[in-house]
Amino acid sequence: MNTETILYIILSGILALLLAGFQYIIKLKSITKLSLLFLILRFLTLFSVLLLLINPKFDQVSVSIEKPHLIIAIDNSNSIRYLNQQEKVKNLVQEITENESIKRKFDLDFYTFGEEFKNTDSLTFLENQTNIDNVFDQLGQIYKQTISPTLLITDGNQTYGNDYEFSISKYNQMVYPVILGDTVTYTDLKIQQLNVNKYAFLKNQFPIEAILVYNGTETINSKFIVTKGNITVFSQNVSFNNLNNSKILSFTLPALKTGVGTYKATLLPIDNEKNKINNSKDFAVEVMDQKTKIALVSSILHPDLGAFKKSIEHNEQRSVLILNPEEAIKQIDDFQLLILYQPNGAFRLLIETLDKVGKNKLMVIGPNTDLNFLNRISKNYQFEISGQYEYYQADLNNNFSPFLVEDISFETLPPLKSYYGSIEFKTPYETILDKTINNIPTDEPLLATMESNHVREVLLLGENIWQWRAQSYLNYKSFNEFDDFVGKIIQYLASNTQRNRLNLEYETFYDGNTGVILKAQFFDKNYQFDSRESISIVVKDNISEEIKTFPFVLKNNNYEVDLSNLRPSEYSFTVKTAHENLSTSGSFRILEYNVEQQFLNANVAKLQRLAARSEGRSYFIDEANNLVNDLLNDNRFLPIQKSHKNSLPLIDWKYLLSIIVFSLSAEWFLRKYNGLI
């Protein structure tokens, strides 16, 4: 409270006393006990009212003790089970949890990591992947402003994600790795990596690259073979020593039959090799009997052309050839569909030919498009010509039905440059993306599909889609999301099959180490997405004849089922709807491979470097007592006393109002009782 406020309070007291004295002392010309009591009551009333007018503020200080957090992040992947360390981990967690000294000094926070990062101390050791980098990324956001030493209980072997040894630079906490697993180095042969294209084309050769690694000191000989069923399709003798401890084999295999072909690569183990699981790996290749050829036709140069070509050719069963209109007309029969980029008068003969032969097309409209020309030649739409241009962002239409569209955060993508004005459609159309300006809808399509007389057309009303591909990479660290989106548009145009009310999205084979996710969309008779249906899948193991039924769950305007718990095998399935008599069938294969079983030892060196970079210290699991003692004796982790100052205005003090009411009521009652009123 400042000096000025104190002065006002003193003056208020004097003024209240003078006013009360004037009424009950000077005015009455005599002093009695009753008049003194009236004076006191009137003084309390006036002084309280004046205090409320001044409304002084009082500082309230509260003191609290904040303990540092002790983060216990536990590797929950099945490599811990494979290394037979799960009981030691559980015992360590129990010891920390029951240690009273630790609990007095720290607030304990437990997390597990593997494929996912979770706030829990429930341990299963069943997760099929390990991402340690994600641990530091998540914890760095949660404990940004606190002192939080981190126990990282792991074998240090990461199967995907960025290198966690370098991501520690973004994590401002001390890390204490607790190292799990055997540190003894064993002689070992393994297939480090197999690089195989997912698709191949009939009667072609598909390439394979195998990276083989040897861990040992002696010179050894082995043999690398690839089998398909009981037939050996490739073999090569290999030798290793302590200097030449890795080899890269590159070879090709013939694609003789359409469908999914399953192969097994094996590096024959040496005598007394401890881990033989990493000596073999299954892989599969889907053989296609044709390749979709697409013409990208343009009379101008633009970065969009390269973006379209790269996105479409991301799927190796598709090829794109960039042509001008004159070249495209001569080769029109060689292509399944055409992309017409910002057409002008030079496209007249090409568009007339496409309409005549009934080929599907993707039309890209931008500032270099001749809208007058399109209005004259198009039978499906007419443009309002204003001569002005605007930048539009995209908003996904969740009710789009012809095919499944994943939301790749369209609202975060850069705006496309498009003409300013409306478009009038003369044929039924469906909108994939709507135009928005500053998140305000315009009720105009940015990307739309239409179908007339079994001929399909997609209309993109904007240029600079290359910026979408670049931004998608920044968002997801990969081009895959954007390329898959473009791929679905191309797939829609490359096929003239009728729409189904029940659509499925799945792969023909899955790596044993990846999630097996099937997605479905169900539409009502008006082809509007229907979220009320119950959908189930009946899965049959073609080898064991075992049959299981799973429900689909509704997720982000899709129905989805996770079959990742199925063991590696060949499966056939039927998807059914509960209320409508609709069903569809298919098959897939899960390949046998567990990346968590490829490791023999803990990655001691990396975990020790991790501890040094974060100013922590590493421990082996059997040194848990030293870890606890070091944490308790480390003066860097002391409780912090924090004071919180809260300024409270007097007007919020309810008792002052009670004093005013009481003093006024008492004065009135006494005056009434004594006949002064």
Side-chain angles (χ1 to χ4, degrees):
M1 191 182 304
N2 56 39
T3 305
E4 184 180 356
T5 303
I6 295 174
L7 181 60
Y8 282 141
I9 293 173
I10 294 173
L11 293 174
S12 297
I14 295 172
L15 180 61
L17 185 60
L18 291 173
L19 291 173
F22 173 77
Q23 184 170 3
Y24 287 108
I25 301 297
I26 299 174
K27 191 175 180 181
L28 295 178
K29 306 297 184 180
S30 63
I31 300 175
T32 64
K33 291 183 178 180
L34 186 61
S35 63
L36 284 175
L37 179 58
F38 286 149
L39 183 145
I40 293 172
L41 291 173
R42 180 57 59 92
F43 170 77
L44 288 175
T45 300
L46 294 173
F47 185 60
S48 298
V49 171
L50 291 172
L51 281 179
L52 286 177
L53 292 174
I54 297 171
N55 193 24
K57 295 182 179 180
F58 300 90
D59 293 333
Q60 184 182 47
V61 179
S62 60
V63 179
S64 63
I65 302 297
E66 184 176 291
K67 295 189 291 185
H69 293 267
L70 179 61
I71 304 169
I72 299 96
I74 310 162
D75 191 337
N76 199 34
S77 64
N78 59 25
S79 67
I80 308 303
R81 183 184 296 274
Y82 180 66
L83 295 173
N84 199 27
Q85 298 290 307
Q86 64 270 29
E87 292 303 322
K88 290 185 178 181
V89 173
K90 292 179 180 178
N91 292 337
L92 174 59
V93 172
Q94 183 177 1
E95 180 181 344
I96 294 174
T97 305
E98 296 176 353
N99 191 301
E100 295 298 328
S101 298
I102 287 287
K103 289 193 288 186
R104 280 195 299 270
K105 185 173 183 179
F106 298 98
D107 287 328
L108 303 183
D109 296 333
F110 289 90
Y111 297 89
T112 63
F113 62 91
E115 291 177 283
E116 297 180 353
F117 178 77
K118 300 177 182 177
N119 183 5
T120 178
D121 59 355
S122 177
L123 299 172
T124 60
F125 305 107
L126 293 177
E127 299 199 38
N128 294 322
Q129 295 268 27
T130 305
N131 187 352
I132 301 177
D133 169 68
N134 187 46
V135 176
F136 298 126
D137 186 43
Q138 298 287 339
L139 292 178
Q141 299 177 39
I142 300 172
Y143 299 96
K144 188 178 296 184
Q145 305 295 333
T146 63
I147 298 175
S148 306
T150 303
L151 305 189
L152 185 69
I153 306 175
T154 180
D155 58 6
N157 294 313
Q158 178 172 268
T159 58
Y160 76 104
N162 296 325
D163 192 334
Y164 64 87
E165 182 182 349
F166 301 101
S167 62
I168 192 63
S169 60
K170 300 179 291 184
Y171 185 60
N172 299 319
Q173 307 291 349
M174 282 149 283
V175 179
Y176 293 81
V178 179
I179 303 172
L180 306 174
D182 197 344
T183 59
V184 178
T185 301
Y186 296 95
T187 300
D188 183 51
L189 274 175
K190 67 176 179 180
I191 300 176
Q192 180 75 24
Q193 187 172 333
L194 272 178
N195 297 321
V196 186
N197 291 335
K198 190 173 183 179
Y199 300 101
F201 303 104
L202 187 64
K203 298 181 181 179
N204 284 353
Q205 300 281 327
F206 59 90
I208 300 173
E209 183 181 70
I211 302 175
L212 314 178
V213 175
Y214 167 64
N215 187 17
T217 57
E218 299 179 355
T219 299
I220 58 100
N221 296 308
S222 183
K223 189 174 186 178
F224 177 78
I225 61 174
V226 178
T227 58
K228 184 178 183 182
N230 297 323
I231 302 174
T232 299
V233 295
F234 178 83
S235 66
Q236 183 172 328
N237 294 322
V238 290
S239 61
F240 302 91
N241 55 49
N242 62 333
L243 297 178
N244 186 18
N245 58 2
S246 66
K247 287 189 180 298
I248 299 177
L249 302 183
S250 299
F251 55 96
T252 59
L253 294 177
L256 302 176
K257 184 180 179 181
T258 58
V260 179
T262 303
Y263 300 83
K264 184 171 187 176
T266 303
L267 182 58
L268 297 181
I270 57 178
D271 294 337
N272 301 321
E273 189 171 350
K274 183 177 180 180
N275 184 9
K276 298 182 181 180
I277 294 177
N278 58 14
N279 287 65
S280 61
K281 185 177 181 180
D282 292 333
F283 66 95
V285 176
E286 185 174 0
V287 178
M288 308 289 184
D289 62 355
Q290 63 178 354
K291 189 169 186 175
T292 303
K293 294 183 66 176
I294 301 156
L296 179 52
V297 186
S298 175
S299 59
I300 64 172
L301 295 177
H302 198 280
D304 282 354
L305 303 178
F308 273 116
K309 181 176 175 64
K310 288 182 179 294
S311 292
I312 296 170
E313 291 184 343
H314 174 75
N315 185 335
E316 294 188 6
Q317 61 179 317
R318 298 176 182 140
S319 65
V320 177
L321 192 60
I322 300 177
L323 304 169
N324 60 41
E326 293 78 14
E327 294 170 332
I329 293 174
K330 298 176 183 178
Q331 307 176 45
I332 194 169
D333 293 333
D334 296 336
F335 303 104
Q336 280 73 38
L337 64 99
L338 290 88
I339 301 173
L340 308 186
Y341 188 79
Q342 304 208 45
N344 51 34
F347 285 71
R348 183 185 62 80
L349 184 57
L350 177 60
I351 293 177
E352 290 176 349
T353 305
L354 289 176
D355 292 339
K356 183 178 179 180
V357 300
K359 280 190 181 291
N360 297 341
K361 59 181 176 290
L362 166 62
M363 191 84 75
V364 182
I365 309 300
N368 293 295
T369 304
D370 187 342
L371 296 182
N372 289 306
F373 161 71
L374 282 185
N375 285 343
R376 290 194 304 271
I377 201 168
S378 175
K379 302 175 182 177
N380 295 329
Y381 39 78
Q382 289 288 300
F383 295 93
E384 177 188 357
I385 301 175
S386 65
Q388 303 296 319
Y389 298 97
E390 183 61 84
Y391 287 88
Y392 296 98
Q393 287 186 288
D395 182 44
L396 177 64
N397 174 23
N398 291 319
N399 293 320
F400 178 74
S401 63
F403 55 88
L404 302 177
V405 178
E406 294 285 344
D407 189 353
I408 59 172
S409 303
F410 289 103
E411 70 280 358
T412 68
L413 301 180
L416 300 185
K417 187 176 183 180
S418 181
Y419 65 90
Y420 181 79
S422 62
I423 179 173
E424 179 185 351
F425 286 92
K426 299 181 179 180
T427 188
Y429 73 98
E430 292 200 48
T431 301
I432 303 177
L433 301 175
D434 290 300
K435 290 179 178 179
T436 66
I437 301 177
N438 297 324
N439 293 324
I440 301 174
T442 63
D443 295 326
E444 288 287 331
L446 182 64
L447 180 64
T449 66
M450 63 203 77
E451 185 171 350
S452 177
N453 297 323
H454 304 292
V455 177
R456 291 177 174 177
E457 181 175 353
V458 174
L459 199 62
L460 174 61
L461 302 172
E463 71 169 8
N464 294 331
I465 200 171
W466 67 270
Q467 295 180 0
W468 282 18
R469 192 169 190 262
Q471 183 64 46
S472 179
Y473 181 84
L474 295 177
N475 291 346
Y476 298 100
K477 310 304 179 187
S478 169
F479 292 115
N480 292 341
E481 284 72 18
F482 177 81
D483 292 348
D484 289 343
F485 166 67
V486 174
K488 288 180 180 180
I489 296 174
I490 297 303
Q491 183 177 354
Y492 167 78
L493 290 171
S495 170
N496 283 337
T497 56
Q498 270 194 324
R499 294 187 297 183
N500 294 319
R501 291 177 57 199
L502 180 61
N503 296 322
L504 288 183
E505 181 180 345
Y506 66 97
E507 302 288 343
T508 52
F509 63 89
Y510 297 88
D511 245 350
N513 212 51
T514 59
V516 182
I517 308 295
L518 279 72
K519 296 181 180 180
Q521 275 196 329
F522 174 75
F523 305 101
D524 60 22
K525 293 182 179 179
N526 292 325
Y527 286 94
Q528 299 295 314
F529 179 77
D530 191 344
S531 61
R532 301 167 296 176
E533 186 59 84
S534 296
I535 304 177
S536 62
I537 181 172
V538 179
V539 182
K540 178 183 179 181
D541 189 327
N542 295 335
I543 297 177
S544 67
E545 302 292 329
E546 183 180 6
I547 297 176
K548 294 182 179 180
T549 301
F550 302 91
F552 279 80
V553 296
L554 187 62
K555 186 177 181 182
N556 297 331
N557 292 306
N558 284 309
Y559 291 92
E560 187 174 294
V561 63
D562 189 347
L563 304 179
S564 301
N565 290 328
L566 294 178
R567 62 175 178 267
S569 185
E570 298 179 10
Y571 294 92
S572 57
F573 65 85
T574 300
V575 176
K576 301 179 180 178
T577 58
H579 304 111
E580 302 262 359
N581 189 23
L582 295 176
S583 65
T584 185
S585 300
S587 62
F588 61 86
R589 180 176 297 173
I590 302 177
L591 306 180
E592 187 169 3
Y593 179 68
N594 190 334
V595 70
E596 293 289 338
Q597 295 183 1
Q598 306 302 305
F599 306 105
L600 276 172
N601 309 99
N603 199 333
V604 178
K606 180 173 284 193
L607 290 175
Q608 289 176 339
R609 292 194 300 268
L610 178 71
R613 288 190 177 201
S614 66
E615 299 182 2
R617 182 179 173 186
S618 62
Y619 302 84
F620 291 100
I621 186 67
D622 297 325
E623 300 174 333
N625 291 332
N626 295 338
L627 167 63
V628 172
N629 292 333
D630 289 347
L631 288 173
L632 292 175
N633 296 325
D634 197 324
N635 292 327
R636 293 177 296 179
F637 312 132
L638 296 176
I640 299 174
Q641 178 176 296
K642 290 188 174 182
S643 61
H644 301 273
K645 184 178 180 180
N646 190 18
S647 185
L648 299 175
L650 185 64
I651 199 170
D652 291 339
W653 195 51
K654 298 178 182 178
Y655 295 108
L656 190 60
L657 181 61
S658 301
I659 292 173
I660 296 174
V661 173
F662 170 76
S663 58
L664 286 173
S665 300
E667 182 182 355
W668 180 88
F669 177 79
L670 290 173
R671 287 170 63 85
K672 184 74 174 178
Y673 182 78
N674 288 280
L676 299 176
I677 299 178

